[in-house]
């Protein structure tokens, strides 16, 4: 197992099925039922590690996994040292700032002095700094959309795909921080068979 390449993908959730489809599209086949945390490849020296998406940047940057498939949003929030090999054109979404339709916050400048709830404090902080806005960042771990209704915050910074969730909470987009998609990333460490696997990807694209 030690010489085998490891690729970390999301265990379950939005990116899991498309990540497996992508690997299968390279011609790789996998043992259907392995341990809950790994899947062995039958035609390449490779194992899949099934993990929380938030852990993938750390796993890859430390070389625990040689490769990973993770949303650009999670990757950028983690600020880790990995090589971006390939954007994968799935998991498309945007990280936005949104405020209640009824609020006086209509433009970016209106966020001055307000409270913004988010699970992306680092990306939000960078964006506010770049735009010269002082706002209080309220870090939370999920369901940012409910924060204004609970008076936890005046605005939110969260992922949007179709916009249905924003609409359900009467929230309107004020600014887009990041356009995101799933990215194939590689660890910064050398390993003999890494090149062979990267060739497989490059030949397929
Ligand atoms: O358990 P684990 O930590 O691995 O999973 P997770 O719950 O953190 O992640 P998951 O499965 O929800 O999303 C994985 C990745 O998919 C994200 O990091 C993004 O890169 C990407 N992605 C694409 C999305 C969405 N679309 C998306 N719509 N991630 C989240 N959402 C959520 C969003 O947070 C909001 O609550 O869906 C809601 C908005 O969707 P719309 O369609 O109503 O706009
Ligand atoms: Zn997650």
């Amino acid at each position: 197992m030690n010489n085998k390449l490891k690729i970390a993908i999301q265990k379950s959730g939005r990116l899991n099925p498309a990540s497996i489809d992508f690997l299968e599209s390279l011609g790789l086949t996998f043992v259907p039922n392995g341990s809950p945390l790994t899947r062995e490849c039958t035609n390449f020296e490779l194992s899949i590690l099934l993990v929380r998406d938030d852990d993938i940047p750390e796993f890859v940057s430390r070389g625990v996994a040689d490769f990973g498939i993770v949303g650009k949003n999670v990757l950028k929030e983690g600020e880790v040292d990995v090589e971006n090999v390939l954007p994968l054109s799935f998991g498309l979404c945007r990280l936005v700032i949104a405020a209640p339709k009824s609020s006086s916050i209509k433009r970016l400048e209106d966020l001055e002095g307000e409270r913004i709830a988010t699970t992306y404090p680092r990306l939000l902080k960078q964006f506010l700094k770049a735009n010269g806005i002082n706002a209080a960042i309220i870090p939370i771990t999920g369901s940012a959309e409910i924060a204004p209704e609970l008076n936890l915050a005046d605005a939110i910074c969260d992922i949007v795909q179709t916009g249905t969730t924003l609409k359900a909470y009467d929230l309107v987009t004020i600014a887009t921080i990041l356009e995101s998609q799933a990215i194939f990333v590689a660890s910064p460490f050398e390993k003999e068979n890494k090149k062979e696997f990267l060739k497989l990807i490059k030949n397929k694209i």
Side-chain angles (χ1 to χ4, degrees):
M1 168 105 180
N2 263 355
N3 278 337
K4 271 192 179 180
L5 289 175
K6 296 186 195 77
I7 171 161
I9 68 167
Q10 193 184 26
K11 184 174 193 294
S12 57
R14 290 167 203 267
L15 298 185
N16 172 277
S19 299
I20 302 235
D21 286 352
F22 169 71
L23 294 174
E24 287 180 342
S25 79
L26 301 174
L28 302 171
T29 50
F30 298 92
V31 177
N33 299 311
S35 93
L37 298 179
T38 58
R39 277 184 76 186
E40 302 303 319
C41 185
T42 57
N43 55 354
F44 203 97
E45 284 287 290
L46 174 84
S47 308
I48 293 179
L49 300 181
L50 297 159
V51 296
R52 292 274 317 261
D53 67 342
D54 315 77
D55 293 333
I56 294 173
E58 208 59 60
F59 272 47
V60 176
S61 73
R62 292 177 184 276
V64 171
D66 305 289
F67 302 108
I69 296 176
V70 64
K72 190 174 177 181
N73 50 311
V74 171
L75 193 60
K76 292 267 182 192
E77 181 67 16
E79 264 186 358
V80 292
D81 178 20
V82 299
E83 186 196 340
N84 284 17
V85 177
L86 188 75
L88 293 173
S89 303
F90 60 81
L92 300 177
C93 57
R94 288 171 295 131
L95 181 65
V96 307
I97 299 178
K101 208 193 259 176
S102 58
S103 105
S104 58
I105 303 169
K106 303 290 179 209
R107 297 168 312 158
L108 207 48
E109 307 85 275
D110 302 332
L111 289 165
E112 184 69 31
E114 303 289 2
R115 302 161 302 164
I116 311 171
T118 190
T119 53
Y120 295 87
R122 218 181 263 185
L123 284 171
L124 177 59
K125 188 177 173 190
Q126 283 169 5
F127 179 81
L128 293 174
K129 191 172 175 209
N131 286 280
I133 291 161
N134 286 303
I137 296 171
I138 317 275
I140 51 168
T141 59
S143 306
E145 295 95 345
I146 192 83
E149 208 173 297
L150 298 174
N151 195 24
L152 175 68
D154 308 293
I156 66 156
C157 167
D158 199 5
I159 295 293
V160 173
Q161 195 200 14
T162 61
T164 309
T165 311
L166 285 190
K167 216 176 249 173
Y169 286 91
D170 250 338
L171 298 164
V172 178
T173 300
I174 304 294
T176 296
I177 294 185
L178 180 77
E179 301 276 353
S180 184
Q181 62 179 297
I183 312 272
F184 190 89
V185 292
S187 84
F189 302 102
E190 289 287 325
K191 202 166 167 180
E192 199 40 56
N193 43 356
K194 257 175 88 175
K195 286 197 188 89
E196 203 187 324
F197 189 78
L198 287 171
K199 241 187 261 165
L200 188 76
I201 290 191
K202 299 251 155 79
N203 288 341
K204 208 74 198 177
I205 307 302

